[in-house]
Every structure is written in C-alpha cells, then in structure tokens.
Amino acid sequence: MTQVRARAAGDGVLPSVRPLWWQRLCLSSFLLAGLTGLILLVAVDALLRQGRLGTVLAAGRAELAAPLLVALVVATGICERIWPAERRPVLARGHIQDALFLALHAVVVIPLMTLLSVGAAALLSSHAPWIELRATEHWPGWLLVPLTVVAMDGANWLAHYADHRLDPLWRFHALHHSQEELSVLTSFRAHPLMHTTGFLLATVPVVALMPARPIAPVLITIYVCIGTLQHANLRWTFGPAGRVLVSPAYHRLHHAPDTQDVNLGVVLTIWDVLAGLAQFPSRADAVGRTGLDGRPVPVEQDDSAGSALLLLAEQLAEPFQAQS
Ligand SMILES: [Zn+2]
Ligand SMILES: [Zn+2]
C-alpha cells in the first residue's frame, strides 16, 4: 500500500502525506476504553463468583432509573414548555438527539455505571485496603452518610475539572458540551466512556468512609435527580439556595462557549467557590448560547448532519479519531 502520495516532480505542488491508518486514531481514547473494559471485567468476575451479578445490576437500575428520576424528568420537561429559557419546538433537533442519548443511557450506561462502581470498589479494596478508615465504623449514620455524599460530590467535581484540563478526557467530555439546545435531556448526552474517571474517583470516599456500610439507594437517587435538573431549559437560579446548589442558570454558564472554565460543580457549588471558579448568575442575565465554537464534534444543528442514529454513531466514534 502506498502511504505517501507525491505529486509528479516538477508540477509545482509540494508532496502531500497521507497519514498511516493508526495515525488517524487517538491512542489515548483506546487506552481509556481498555481501562474501562478492565474495570468491568473485574466487576463481572467478582459478582459472578458471588452469584450476585443479576441482583446488583437490578439494584443499580433501581437507583439510577428510579420512578422519582423519571417523574422529575417529565415534570421538568413540562416546566420547560411553560417557562423556557429559550423557546423552541418540542421536537427540536437537540431534543431528539438527546432523547437517543437517554435511550443509550437506559440500555448501556446504567449497567456500565453500576459495574464501574463495583469494579472500582473491588480494585481499591484489594490493591489499596489502607484507604479504608476503620475508625469511621462507629460514627453515627447522620454524620457519616452526608459526609460521604459531600465527599463524593467533591470527587465528581475533581473528575469534571480533569475532563476540562486533560485532553484525553476532554475528547470524551466534548460531546456533552456540544449541545446547542440545552434541555433536561442533555443530562444524558454523554459518551459512555466519560464516566470512568468520575466513578473511579467517587468510589474513593465511599470505600474510605463507608467500607462496611452501603449508602441508602434513595440518597443516590436524590443526588442524581439534583444533578439531572441542572441542564433544564429554565432560567431558575434557585434563589438563595443557588449559592450552594447547582441551578440550571448556574450550569448554563458552564455550557457557554466562552465560560467553560467556571461552574464545574455537579450538585454543590462549594468546590467552585473554593477553587475561585464560581460565577453566580442573576435572574436579570440574558440567556446565553451554548455549544462549542467551530463544532469539533458533529452536531445535529449542522445542516449537513445525517439521520439522528447515524449522527449518534459519529458522535460516539469521534473521540477515537486523531485530531488534525
Ligand atoms: Zn464540563
Ligand atoms: Zn452539563
């Protein structure tokens, strides 16, 4: 196979070099996929040996697809029709594409998240048992559980910070930021491999603080609900509570092309405040645009975009292609 294509000598055009096939691929993305596969193998192996694979997957689905979350998405969708930050049709291209991501989330991402938690905990317990703080065994639940949830939120903030600072992670996070028509469904617009670092980091405080006690599933569901609301197409700032909890208006600033460095919080704003990266919105602010300048990730708003399913495949494949 000829890898180098040179124009005929003397035609006045410089030789053009066609990259080798592997030069057109992004190696770091394949490494992250391999790491994710390894964690999943550890989880499946441990659960099969315990005979609990089906039980744990069902429990994960109950936490991450709880009726409370479904009800919240539907109620938020109704609020978006009544008080939209940006008025647009129900079947706007962004809504349809994000609905496909919701389907992917239900079928692929929820089991993936469940197994990532199990695999990360198994790896930490076997390779770094010293992180388990046995002293917390006797702490009362009313102190330990909120402390663990807040620490998990801090770990999620750190993972999100890394998503923006480290190029190999940004390649997967960019898809989430590519949405130009934010709605509650955008919470599910994420590459499945975007979750690996977050679950690895968020498992650390759980294993450290509560090695022998599970967190009540309802708390995880409530945490996910608050995290889902932040993408709503609403101007809500949550008033005084918005100084502590991430509101749709607060998170919208993070999705603006020119202020992505601020407001990285997932549920709590305290981490942004501590890092000097909090920018609080006001009700009087104009509703800014969202998305990525130059559209580095293929988006449905582009007139040349193909069918929604074909575009979904392109969006999922994009991080594996080398950037020119
Ligand atoms: Zn982000
Ligand atoms: Zn977001």
Side-chain angles (χ1 to χ4, degrees):
M1 186 174 68
T2 305
Q3 302 293 356
V4 179
R5 177 165 52 91
R7 299 285 177 98
D11 66 1
V13 180
L14 286 172
S16 65
V17 178
R18 193 168 59 198
L20 300 166
W21 66 267
W22 52 268
Q23 289 174 322
R24 280 178 265 150
L25 301 176
C26 179
L27 182 62
S28 62
S29 295
F30 284 92
L31 285 175
L32 187 66
L35 173 69
T36 307
L38 194 69
I39 299 169
L40 295 183
L41 271 178
V42 168
V44 170
D45 179 55
L47 292 173
L48 282 177
R49 275 190 282 114
Q50 297 164 10
R52 295 196 307 129
L53 181 60
T55 314
V56 169
L57 286 176
R61 185 165 298 279
E63 273 180 16
L64 300 169
L68 181 65
L69 179 62
V70 176
L72 178 100
V73 171
V74 172
T76 308
I78 293 168
C79 291
E80 286 179 335
R81 303 312 306 161
I82 303 171
W83 305 289
E86 285 181 320
R87 193 163 287 284
R88 60 179 96 99
V90 176
L91 296 180
R93 286 166 298 187
H95 298 176
I96 293 170
Q97 199 65 24
D98 285 355
L100 280 183
F101 278 101
L102 173 61
L104 182 77
H105 182 86
V107 175
V108 174
V109 177
I110 287 180
L112 174 83
M113 287 174 155
T114 307
L115 293 175
L116 280 175
S117 292
V118 173
L123 284 170
L124 281 171
S125 296
S126 59
H127 295 285
W130 45 266
I131 71 163
E132 295 180 7
L133 302 174
R134 291 290 163 187
T136 59
E137 269 176 24
H138 308 292
W139 290 15
W142 60 262
L143 173 66
L144 190 55
V145 173
L147 191 67
T148 306
V149 173
V150 169
M152 271 176 56
D153 191 61
N156 282 329
W157 181 92
L158 200 60
H160 192 187
Y161 182 81
D163 283 341
H164 281 263
R165 293 296 160 131
L166 303 176
D167 194 56
L169 299 181
W170 170 253
R171 291 302 306 273
F172 289 101
H173 190 57
L175 170 59
H176 178 66
H177 276 270
S178 66
Q179 183 52 274
E180 298 172 7
E181 296 171 301
L182 280 195
S183 77
V184 66
L185 298 178
T186 307
S187 300
F188 307 99
R189 183 192 184 95
H191 198 290
L193 294 173
M194 191 192 92
H195 302 291
T196 304
T197 44
F199 274 81
L200 271 178
L201 285 174
T203 303
V204 173
V206 178
V207 173
L209 294 168
M210 299 182 66
R213 282 189 267 180
I215 295 181
V218 67
L219 281 178
I220 301 294
T221 301
I222 291 170
Y223 182 85
V224 173
C225 282
I226 299 172
T228 300
L229 197 56
Q230 61 182 228
H231 294 102
N233 180 28
L234 296 164
R235 303 184 66 148
W236 295 355
T237 60
F238 289 170
R243 304 298 290 189
V244 181
L245 287 177
V246 171
S247 67
Y250 183 89
H251 191 64
R252 191 181 181 90
L253 288 172
H254 177 64
H255 276 264
D258 52 348
T259 49
Q260 280 166 15
D261 288 344
V262 303
N263 297 7
L264 296 144
V266 177
V267 164
L268 298 172
T269 62
I270 50 170
W271 316 108
D272 289 323
V273 173
L274 290 172
L277 294 173
Q279 189 175 318
F280 289 99
S282 106
R283 284 281 300 172
D285 291 345
V287 176
R289 68 188 179 94
T290 63
L292 295 173
D293 284 336
R295 292 180 171 165
V297 177
V299 288
E300 54 275 25
Q301 290 83 12
D302 194 321
D303 291 336
S304 65
S307 69
L309 269 177
L310 185 66
L311 179 65
L312 178 76
E314 287 173 7
Q315 290 170 326
L316 294 175
E318 193 280 333
F320 295 97
Q321 297 156 17
Q323 283 179 323
S324 50

